[in-house]
Structure formats: C-alpha cells, structure tokens
Amino acid sequence: MRPGAVTIGAAHGAALLLSLAGFGSTLWYGVAEPGNALAFGTLVLLGELARWGAAPDEREPAPLGAAGALSYALLGASAGTATTHGVLQIVAVVVAAGLAGIVPHIARGRGPGLDHLARRVLTVGFAALCFQPLYNAGAVVDHLGHGPPYALFLVLLIILTALCDAVLAALLLRARTGFPYGPLLRDALRALLGIGSAVCATGAVMALGVAAAGLWALPVLAVPLLLTQVSFRRYAAVRTVNRQTIASLARATEIAGCTPPGHARRVAALSGAVGRELGLSGAELTVLEHAALMHDIGQLSLVDPVEGGATALLPADEQRRIALLGGEVVRRTGVPAAVAVIVERQADPYREQPLPARIVRAVNAYDDLAGGESAGAALDALERLRLGTARDYHPDVVECLARVLARGGAAGVTSVATG
C-alpha cells in the first residue's frame, strides 16, 4: 500500500470512528440542551445547503456551516447559563447536520469530497476537545473569568484549530498528489487570510454572543458572514468568466487548425503539475496555467501555419518570433502582464527565462514530440528533452516533468481548498 493511501485511510478512519463514537454516545445518554443542539445544527445545515462548490484554489465552500460548527465546539454558556454538552455530542450534531445539508448537492453530483468531510469532523473534534473538558471542569472560568482573557483564549484556540486544519489539508493533498508538502501548506495557510479568517472570527463571535445574549444572537451574527459569502460568490463568478475567456482564446488556435485538439489543455494541466512539484503555489500557478493555455496564440498571426502546430521542431529564431507575436496578442486581451511575459519568453534560452517560462517551454515541447500517442513516443520525447538541456530546457524542469509523468501525469492534480 502506498504511503499516501495510508495517510488518507488514517484520516478517513479517524473521522469515521469519531463520528460513530459521537452518535453512539448521544443515542445512549441523550441530547443535552436540545435547544442549543437544534439551533447550531440548523445553522450548520443551512450553511451546507448554501455551499457554492469549491474551485481548485478555494478554501471553504460552506463558510456559514464551518462557522456554526466551530462556534458550537467553543460554546461554554448560553445566556449566562453554563452548558453541559460534551465533545461527542458536538461531533454528532455537526456530522448529522452536515450530512443532511449535503444530500441535495450529492443528488446533483456536486457534493464535497471525503477529504473535506474528514477534515470537518477532525477539526471540530479537535476544537471541542481543547475547550469543552477545560470549561466543564471549571478551569477556564476560574482562571480567566468571562472578560477579555476569556475572549482571547477563544481566539487562540481558533487560531490553533485553523492551523491544524491547514496542516491536515496539506497532508491529504500531499498524499493524493505527491506534490511537495511545503508549497501545499503555504497555500493552505494563505487561504486562511481570505474566507478562512471570516469563518474563524465569526465562529468566535457567535460563541461569545450566544454566551451573553442566548440563541437569538445566532441569526444576527450570521448576517455579516452571509454577506461575505455573497461577495465571494460574485468574485468566484467573475473569476470563472475570466477563465472561460482565456480557455476560449486558447481554443482559437485549435479551431483555426494551428494546433492539435486538446494540446493547450494538456500543456496547461501538465505545466500546473510540474509547477506544483517545483514549489509554485497560489497566484503563481494561476499565471502559469493561463500562460500555458495561451502559449501558442502567436500562431494565429502567421501567414503559413506550422505543420502539426509543433513549434518545438522549428528553428530557434522562428520559435522566438512566434513567442513575441503571442506575447503581443496576450497583452491586447487584458490578461495580466505576467501572463504575456511568460508567453513571449518561452522560447528564450532557459538560463534567461523565469521559472514559469521554463516550465511552459519544456511541457510544450514534450507534448509536441510525444504527440499523445504511445508510451514509446513519450519516452523518446523525454529523451530528446534531456538531450536539449544544454541550452533549451532546464535540467531540473525536465527531471521534474519525468517524475510527474511517472506518477500518471496531471491526472492527480487537485487543490488545497478541496476542502
């Protein structure tokens, strides 16, 4: 069994055991404070129903559900009265509400993955385990009271929980893709600065608000996060339109017969996998993907199309001319300038190129030479790239490409926000 499968199996198994223990304990002992359980369960349910489906780089597609689960885990009192629910009841309520909320999404084929569900269970269990035993034993109130030190304690617990979730997310993605752990963890931590920070802040405020004012505070405190969620959905819609525009521009070379069908998509997917392997993350990968999609757009300016669209077989001067034409076209489309720079520098000697341009050049050449045919053609293409490492292709990029192909190419590429 692969080490990655062991990691994934351990995470899923731990989440399943914790969920079963929560349901078993709750059924055996009954539900403590049913009103609280119903209110927070409803909040988690509504949050899951309102999820919008994560894009590859999105951190949390159900922020209201995550905030509700986190606030229930950190709930010590309701309207000034100490609560008695424990860790296992919290897990049971969150899992039951979450499963009920994702049923409609699963019916439409857009439900969250098992990794996301496992992370939700484990992180909520972690937060509850850090807080509930101490609160129920009276240690938190005795030492901190109910003032600012208590609020600071909740904030520290939330930060610790968010860090643990980021570590777990990176571990699971590392197990599935084999990409270096450092860049994956960096992506997960960066995501905390976006919607993740809103989730954490709202979770803490909800727990404090319910402790002081009771359950009536929940709908009031949920409004800011709902507005944030609407803004993020609009931003995601704009980003989706931009990606579709770039993909359409990339297909123009295929429609015009300048490149083989699927060439741009294959180069983009494989470039992203190689970029991950070499430590690129976040915005760098987005720029790389866009440049890879549009790397052949300069061929639209040619009077005579390149035979088969294989620019890797052309003389260096001709490759350079097509790259400069492509960069000029990209600049006129309104795409960020960084994309145009990569497109126009993809034909430079690798010692003069930025890393994304080195990746696009090597991957484009591989796809041109391999032709998507047999395993023998792929091996021959890699060998030709290795022979060209004196000037054209960076040795590290070529060897990284070989490792990615040995793992199955770009088929396993996923994101940290799969969450």
Side-chain angles (χ1 to χ4, degrees):
M1 182 179 292
R2 297 184 298 108
V6 174
T7 301
I8 295 170
H12 291 181
L16 178 60
L17 290 176
L18 184 57
S19 300
L20 293 176
F23 285 126
S25 175
T26 303
L27 289 173
W28 183 263
Y29 295 104
V31 178
E33 291 105 18
N36 291 341
L38 179 61
F40 282 95
T42 301
L43 188 62
V44 173
L45 172 63
L46 293 176
E48 291 295 338
L49 290 174
R51 78 166 47 246
W52 65 78
D57 53 353
E58 284 179 345
R59 173 67 173 174
E60 179 54 73
L64 185 59
L70 188 58
S71 60
Y72 191 42
L74 300 178
L75 182 66
S78 178
T81 302
T83 60
T84 58
H85 64 270
V87 175
L88 294 180
Q89 178 176 309
I90 291 169
V91 172
V93 170
V94 169
V95 172
L99 291 178
I102 66 175
V103 168
H105 300 288
I106 293 176
R108 294 197 300 268
R110 294 174 6 188
L114 290 177
D115 287 356
H116 171 84
L117 297 176
R119 280 172 44 208
R120 172 67 63 82
V121 173
L122 294 176
T123 51
V124 168
F126 174 83
L129 187 61
C130 289
F131 177 78
Q132 292 296 330
L134 292 175
Y135 186 89
N136 292 335
V140 174
V141 176
D142 291 343
H143 291 85
L144 301 177
H146 292 286
Y150 178 79
L152 180 60
F153 176 66
L154 289 186
V155 171
L156 292 177
L157 281 184
I158 285 178
I159 292 174
L160 183 59
T161 301
L163 292 176
C164 289
D165 184 47
V167 169
L168 182 57
L171 277 175
L172 289 171
L173 193 55
R174 161 70 177 172
R176 290 198 177 277
T177 65
F179 293 143
Y181 181 73
L184 296 178
L185 180 59
R186 188 165 63 245
D187 273 352
L189 293 175
R190 283 176 177 172
L192 293 177
L193 301 178
I195 192 67
S197 61
V199 169
C200 293
T202 304
V205 172
M206 281 181 173
L208 292 171
V210 172
L215 294 176
W216 291 107
L218 281 181
V220 175
L221 296 174
V223 170
L225 190 56
L226 284 173
L227 296 176
T228 302
Q229 180 168 338
V230 171
S231 299
F232 264 75
R233 293 187 71 166
R234 291 180 178 175
Y235 167 74
V238 172
R239 186 175 53 188
T240 299
V241 170
N242 289 338
R243 285 175 170 168
Q244 291 172 344
T245 301
I246 291 172
S248 298
L249 289 171
R251 289 190 65 244
T253 57
E254 299 177 12
I255 295 173
C258 298
T259 57
H263 171 71
R265 293 192 301 275
R266 291 193 300 271
V267 172
L270 199 50
S271 293
V274 174
R276 282 278 191 192
E277 186 79 12
L278 289 171
L280 299 183
S281 61
E284 296 170 320
L285 284 173
T286 300
V287 170
L288 173 61
E289 176 195 359
H290 293 171
L293 282 170
M294 305 179 74
H295 74 279
D296 270 331
I297 203 168
Q299 293 197 46
L300 295 175
S301 302
L302 300 179
V303 176
D304 298 317
V306 178
E307 183 178 356
T311 55
L313 303 177
L314 296 176
D317 290 344
E318 185 64 10
Q319 291 185 39
R320 176 65 175 158
R321 185 174 77 88
I322 294 174
L324 290 174
L325 289 172
E328 183 62 27
V329 172
V330 172
R331 290 182 189 280
R332 294 176 181 272
T333 64
V335 174
V339 176
V341 170
I342 296 172
V343 171
E344 66 189 9
R345 298 194 62 183
Q346 62 180 304
D348 292 354
Y350 73 74
R351 292 180 177 83
E352 303 173 11
Q353 291 176 310
L355 178 57
R358 295 174 179 175
I359 294 172
V360 171
R361 179 170 192 175
V363 174
N364 174 56
Y366 168 78
D367 197 77
D368 283 345
L369 297 172
E373 300 291 337
S374 63
L379 291 175
D380 290 342
L382 275 176
E383 186 59 30
R384 291 184 66 173
L385 292 185
R386 289 189 174 106
L387 292 175
T389 53
R391 178 184 184 277
D392 296 327
Y393 313 111
H394 195 285
D396 292 343
V397 174
V398 174
E399 293 309 313
C400 179
L401 173 61
R403 291 196 300 272
V404 170
L405 292 170
R407 292 201 303 263
V413 177
T414 53
S415 133
V416 84
T418 311

